[in-house]
Amino acid sequence: MTELRIAIVGFGKIARDQHVAAIAATPGATLAAIASRNASLPDLPHFATIEELLSKGPPIDAVSLCTPPQVRRAQAASALAAGKHVMLEKPPGVSVSELDPLIAQAERSKRTLFATWHSRYAPAVEPAREWLAARRISSVHISWKEDVRVWHPGQTWIWQPGGLGVFDPGINALSILTRIMPRPVFVTAATLSFPSNCEAPIAADLTLADATGLPITAEFDFRQTGPQSWDVIVETDGGRMTLSGGGRRMAVDGKVLSEAPDAEYRELYHRFVELAATGAADVDLSPFRLVADAFMLGKRTIVEPFVD
């Protein structure tokens, strides 16, 4: 099998912590170069920008865009125009509407565009989806609370327009929700808490439903300093199903039915290699649309300034 030669564009915390090891562990994939203004890896070709990578870099087949979402559309368009497959870290862009031209460009060029939702690849998500398919669901509650200073230290882009604020982790919960629910869901109301010195929310409370009126609530908070929570709780006629640890553990009425170590990014790259073999696309925008709707419908409140 021919190796998919991948360049990482944007070499921040998530690229260092997750992408490098995942590529190394994926059969059929190899890390060929880095494009970043501020970081590099020993013994790998390094370029300051994607333009420099594409014009002067070694032969590559694909790019993995780990830059802030505000700049990904232009980078993806350049890579597709150069005949490269493209993986987009989540969220896939800065707006929903900017993705349609990229999807069309990928289709015309017969190159893969892969909008990734890494939390969907957490090990207990598929067992949860299969279990729920045979149950009658009465309610869903999401609690997704973490300390931004731990998970996004010094990342000012997250507080800028398009950075999403607390929806950067919250969209992970919505990606799980839209995968495990048997019917599409939509936002009916939201309250968004904006620090007085930021352009993105630090907390959000969402009310959602499906076409049957199923009650769904979600609490997102970036101010959690105690135990972190990444939980989806579903009340059903077969008991309370809890997905915890960001989708790594599934339990019903306290009995663990599925649990495994994290392999989310390894699974993402396995899927990327699979897609690139045929030039197929995988771009599900349903979690992103829920975030956009929360911003559209959300009541905004101003809270204390955020100091990193």
Side-chain angles (χ1 to χ4, degrees), residues 29 32 127 130 153 183 201 208 269:
E130 293 168 4
R183 291 177 292 273
L208 306 96
Y269 276 99

Side-chain angles (χ1 to χ4, degrees), residues 160-202:
Q160 297 168 357
L164 294 192
V166 76
F167 283 103
D168 183 78
I171 204 170
N172 295 334
L174 298 176
S175 73
I176 292 175
L177 179 71
T178 51
R179 178 61 184 167
I180 66 175
M181 295 301 290
R183 291 177 292 273
V185 302
F186 49 89
V187 178
T188 60
T191 299
L192 312 180
S193 299
F194 283 73
S196 59
N197 60 340
C198 296
E199 300 297 330
I202 199 167

Side-chain angles (χ1 to χ4, degrees), residues 128-146:
R129 183 184 67 82
E130 293 168 4
W131 189 86
L132 288 172
R135 305 300 189 285
R136 186 173 69 252
I137 301 171
S138 55
S139 68
V140 181
H141 179 68
I142 296 170
S143 177
W144 219 260
K145 301 179 180 181
E146 63 182 58

Side-chain angles (χ1 to χ4, degrees), residues 9-26:
V9 180
F11 203 58
K13 178 176 172 58
I14 194 68
R16 293 191 302 269
D17 291 353
Q18 298 288 352
H19 287 257
V20 172
I23 292 171
T26 302

